[in-house]
Amino acid sequence: MSTSVLTPSTTSGTREGAFGNATSLSCRECGHLVALGPHYACPECFGPLEVAYDFPLVTRAEIEAGPPNIWRYKALLPVPSDIEESPNTEPGFTRLLRADNLAAELGLRKLWVKDDSTNPTNSFKDRVVACALSAARELHAKVFACPSTGNLANAVAAAGARAGIKTVVFIPSNLEKPKQVNSAVYTENLVAVDGNYDDVNRLASEIAGEEEGWAFVNVNVRPYYAEGSKTLGYEIAEQLGWRLPDQIVIPVASGSQLTKVDKAFQELIKLGLVEDRPYKVYGAQATGCSPVSVAYKGGVDAIRPVKPDTIAKSLAIGNPADGVYVLDICRRTGGAVEDISDDEVREGILLLARTEGIFTETAGGTTVGVLRKLVETGQLDPELETVVINTGMGLKTLDAVSDRVGPAATIEPTYAAFTATGLA
């Protein structure tokens, strides 16, 4: 099968500066360089490709003078210098919330929540999709598409509508209903597939190899798409006053987000924008789909694929593409990869909502629950400054907690009835 979705006839003639300061695509396994284009697998060893750059001098002042979205970091992304002129959803620069109540509950000295639920379609996927959309546009794609566990489908459908490009999104047929609706309102071309995410992804790859001019955000333009996650790392550092946190807990689905946050931290260090200091990276998975956690605990390097069985559907990728790189980063930085049960995921959702007023989806419940487990098991130092990432909005996964919440009491409209509840 071809490793390119867009044929040479549709990718020729990209304008100068189409990918900003990016210089090539580099294989993460053998280092082989490939020209910028719709490629995602190394022709030499079939390893994954990522974007390589020749960064200019970038200052804090230049970044701070930029727009209040991810394009303030455009010099560090594979996008053109005029990216703001192209219609997009302008995601990013979400709040970094000091979480003192949650910290007190867990016994942490200083805790922050990076809350990406306030992005345009209420998840961090708006970041990666914005970068993928730029690549698709520059490569003259005629269809913008993705396989998705939900949030990505929402983001792709919305971004495609904003850009005026035909959009087709593929999801597992058992996906949470709110996520299906959140995609279908933006596009008529929502396709439900009988199977899990890995089945959907295989189908998308097959379509990509056969159809001309289709840009699948997490297939043939994946190297550009993945770079959008770096903006989480950039923002955290900037919002902390241009410094890195001591510890950070990140949910793991494909593993791309965690690897790109680490890449962002390393880039900021090399550019002299933050002090070079140690930091620990932790990965969070649900036990029903925890191949990376299993490998970490087993002390092995290979990721054994699993069949997902968890309420955390946005993390339910049984064969994570970047799993081995997650292992490398967590081990290199002195972090860990941990997993929790579905009941603990639900507890994590309620804990974050009732301490900090943030209603997270199951991925965030997983991350908060894993944070608690890391503290309880002594894997995370409660005295060090910690950041936990909330990737999405809880309104998308209402079923996860709907049977655990409700009225404390149902009463007659009288004061006597109220006092009888004991709530006063």
Side-chain angles (χ1 to χ4, degrees):
M1 181 182 295
S2 169
T3 60
S4 173
V5 174
L6 307 179
T7 62
S9 63
T10 61
T11 60
S12 61
T14 54
R15 60 183 177 133
E16 185 176 353
F19 300 104
N21 293 310
T23 57
S24 63
L25 298 176
S26 173
C27 178
R28 294 169 75 174
E29 291 297 322
C30 73
H32 180 74
L33 298 181
V34 177
L36 292 167
H39 318 295
Y40 61 95
C42 175
E44 297 295 321
C45 73
F46 300 104
L49 298 175
E50 69 173 0
V51 181
Y53 300 87
D54 181 11
F55 289 132
L57 175 66
V58 180
T59 67
R60 294 176 181 179
E62 288 172 340
I63 291 173
E64 291 167 353
N69 54 55
I70 64 171
W71 305 135
R72 67 200 287 116
Y73 309 108
K74 63 183 178 182
L76 309 179
L77 297 170
V79 300
S81 59
D82 61 354
I83 183 65
E84 297 100 325
E85 298 175 16
S86 301
N88 63 85
T89 58
E90 301 178 358
F93 218 64
T94 55
R95 63 181 180 169
L96 183 68
L97 180 72
R98 177 73 178 261
D100 290 340
N101 296 331
L102 180 58
E105 183 73 22
L106 299 181
L108 293 164
R109 183 180 64 83
K110 184 181 289 187
L111 177 65
W112 303 85
V113 176
K114 179 58 173 171
D115 184 16
D116 249 25
S117 67
T118 58
N119 270 312
T121 66
N122 303 115
S123 90
F124 94 96
K125 290 295 188 181
D126 290 312
R127 297 174 181 272
V128 290
V129 167
C131 288
L133 176 63
S134 176
R137 181 185 287 115
E138 298 296 337
L139 293 167
H140 315 299
K142 64 182 183 182
V143 181
F144 196 48
C146 72
S148 172
T149 57
N151 284 325
L152 181 58
N154 298 172
V156 167
R162 175 82 177 115
I165 184 172
K166 180 181 177 180
T167 303
V168 182
V169 294
F170 300 82
I171 59 170
S173 58
N174 67 346
L175 192 65
E176 300 99 333
K177 189 66 174 179
K179 287 184 179 177
Q180 294 193 38
V181 173
N182 268 287
S183 296
V185 295
Y186 297 117
T187 178
E188 297 177 349
N189 305 315
L190 173 67
V191 181
V193 179
D194 289 332
N196 60 33
Y197 172 79
D198 297 297
D199 297 319
V200 179
N201 193 45
R202 281 192 293 272
L203 174 61
S205 297
E206 184 177 353
I207 295 170
E210 299 294 334
E211 294 296 326
E212 209 176 286
W214 283 54
F216 277 86
V217 302
N218 46 352
V219 182
N220 75 311
V221 291
R222 182 179 178 84
Y224 313 97
Y225 155 91
E227 291 292 281
S229 286
K230 294 194 306 183
T231 60
L232 272 167
Y234 297 151
E235 287 177 21
I236 289 168
E238 182 180 352
Q239 291 170 323
L240 286 175
W242 292 107
R243 59 184 174 81
L244 303 181
D246 297 318
Q247 304 171 139
I248 185 166
V249 186
I250 306 172
V252 174
S254 71
S256 178
Q257 181 185 115
L258 185 148
T259 65
K260 294 306 180 183
V261 169
D262 176 69
K263 185 180 181 182
F265 287 173
Q266 291 298 310
E267 288 177 346
L268 292 176
I269 290 170
K270 291 175 182 176
L271 290 166
L273 293 170
V274 299
E275 177 188 353
D276 186 357
R277 58 192 295 271
Y279 60 88
K280 296 181 179 181
V281 180
Y282 296 84
Q285 294 200 296
T287 302
C289 186
S290 54
V292 186
S293 178
V294 169
Y296 173 81
K297 293 175 181 178
V300 299
D301 296 326
I303 307 293
R304 177 174 293 182
V306 300
K307 185 175 181 180
D309 182 18
T310 174
I311 61 169
K313 295 186 184 300
S314 58
L315 301 182
I317 297 180
N319 189 17
D322 289 324
V324 293
Y325 304 111
V326 170
L327 291 175
D328 290 344
I329 290 167
C330 292
R331 288 168 176 162
R332 186 197 81 223
T333 63
V337 187
E338 188 56 89
D339 61 274
I340 58 171
S341 69
D342 281 357
D343 280 344
E344 290 172 306
V345 171
R346 296 184 179 95
E347 292 168 7
I349 293 172
L350 296 177
L351 179 61
L352 183 60
R354 291 173 178 178
T355 56
E356 299 298 343
I358 299 173
F359 186 15
T360 183
E361 65 164 14
T362 49
T366 301
T367 312
V368 171
V370 163
L371 171 63
R372 176 163 62 182
K373 186 172 182 178
L374 290 168
V375 175
E376 292 174 348
T377 57
Q379 298 179 78
L380 184 143
D381 189 339
E383 293 301 312
L384 296 180
E385 182 176 49
T386 305
V387 172
V388 62
I389 295 180
N390 173 39
T391 53
M393 166 66 73
L395 291 175
K396 296 184 179 187
T397 57
L398 287 172
D399 288 350
V401 293
S402 59
D403 62 346
R404 296 199 172 197
V405 297
T410 301
I411 63 173
E412 295 297 320
T414 66
Y415 181 69
F418 163 67
T419 56
T421 65
L423 295 174

